[in-house]
Amino acid sequence: MDGLHRMSRFAHKVPEARGLGMTSQRARDRLIERLVGEGIRDRRVLDVLRQLPRHLFIDEALATRAYEDTALPIGQGQTISQPYVVARMTELLLDQVVPRRVLEVGTGSGYQCAVLASLVDQVYTVERIDELLRNARRRFRKLGLSNIRSRHDDGRLGWPDEAPFDAIMVTAAGSDLEEALLAQLAPGGVLVAPVGPPGKQDLLRVRANADGGWQREIVAAVSFVPLLGGVA
Ligand code: SAH
């Protein structure tokens, strides 16, 4: 079925989700065409990005740029990831089996989290900047995304009480893979994370073997804000 011009399920619930002009369904459809051209293949991911109102995850002043394939500032020196990167990382996470319980580190605007919540049973997300987390929570409530639990903490520690996770996605770049996060991965689970200093980051995918070992692959060169310690 060609879902290209189907109305977003969010537009039924939230009038602003429909958007106008630069934030309209047409704008979302054009972004999807572009992502397909850039090699995103997973229909499930494309379908979610087609429906999710990215313009509600950024400041109103920037809303007209919401469906450009670019990262945008969300305050506190942080950014909402580029749609291509969100799509690619999500695709990497869903590649073999659809994970049931997913941990995200770096809630930021909440957009990536909302994408995940549209695809899996339960998402846990951790953000170190309180103000960003509050805004993200407001968006989750507004859009009726009820399968997200969030927490204000240093996400490098994961969420031990809820571990293990079928998948973990880190959306800020550390200097190395975090041991604490790897330890919270279920056997067969997948972690996707950018690693490395600014200007020299690799996107890594790590799969946890049943025997306790890990398989690691470098997927792409990427550019993320740094993974920082402590809370703010
Ligand atoms: N997934 C987000 C991307 C936001 S940018 C989105 O879709 O908008 C990365 C986010 O990671 C920032 O909000 C930053 O504050 C957060 N972050 C950085 N280090 C962190 C840490 N140790 N624990 C939790 N969040 C962290």
Side-chain angles (χ1 to χ4, degrees):
M1 176 179 133
D2 179 9
L4 216 68
H5 300 291
R6 206 188 315 149
M7 192 169 112
S8 155
R9 71 180 172 99
F10 296 103
H12 292 288
K13 286 189 246 169
V14 190
E16 313 95 280
R18 179 182 284 216
L20 264 177
M22 300 291 275
T23 62
S24 66
Q25 189 58 50
R26 269 230 33 72
R28 274 187 294 284
D29 289 345
R30 272 197 298 270
L31 171 64
I32 298 311
E33 281 164 29
R34 179 173 173 156
L35 296 179
V36 169
E38 285 168 341
I40 302 299
R41 291 282 171 266
D42 193 316
R43 301 305 307 180
R44 298 165 296 186
V45 175
L46 291 168
D47 223 44
V48 170
L49 265 70
R50 177 179 290 126
Q51 300 205 28
L52 199 62
R54 188 170 184 256
H55 62 279
L56 299 186
F57 288 83
I58 54 182
D59 200 84
E60 252 176 86
L62 286 170
T64 57
R65 300 192 58 197
Y67 301 103
E68 292 176 18
D69 188 18
T70 181
L72 293 167
I74 54 172
Q76 312 278 330
Q78 306 304 316
T79 55
I80 180 172
S81 305
Q82 182 191 348
Y84 173 79
V85 173
V86 170
R88 188 76 191 105
M89 286 177 81
T90 309
E91 215 174 44
L92 287 166
L93 219 66
L94 298 182
D95 192 19
Q96 295 200 352
V97 280
V98 178
R100 266 193 343 102
R101 300 170 72 252
V102 177
L103 172 69
E104 180 198 33
V105 175
T107 318
S109 67
Y111 180 69
Q112 172 74 74
C113 184
V115 169
L116 291 169
S118 304
L119 290 159
V120 310
D121 286 355
Q122 183 71 44
V123 185
Y124 299 84
T125 187
V126 186
E127 170 59 54
R128 65 178 289 278
I129 302 178
D130 192 43
E131 191 188 325
L132 293 180
L133 187 59
R134 286 169 194 276
N135 291 336
R137 280 176 176 153
R138 194 151 20 80
R139 294 172 182 132
F140 300 152
R141 265 198 305 277
K142 184 169 185 170
L143 293 171
L145 294 164
S146 55
N147 59 338
I148 298 170
R149 286 186 57 197
S150 61
R151 139 180 195 152
H152 179 221
D153 203 351
D154 180 350
R156 296 178 310 170
L157 310 171
W159 194 324
D161 291 349
E162 293 294 343
F165 300 97
D166 303 315
I168 300 178
M169 184 186 286
V170 185
T171 67
S175 53
D176 213 336
L177 289 168
E178 296 291 334
E179 291 291 334
L181 294 180
L182 288 172
Q184 291 176 32
L185 213 47
V190 175
L191 175 142
V192 177
V195 169
K200 269 191 71 169
Q201 296 169 5
D202 289 320
L203 183 62
L204 302 185
R205 176 163 63 176
V206 183
R207 203 175 288 277
N209 299 328
D211 66 7
W214 286 291
Q215 255 172 284
R216 197 183 128 123
E217 73 188 285
I218 297 178
V219 182
V222 285
S223 176
F224 277 84
V225 296
L227 187 68
L228 302 174
V231 293

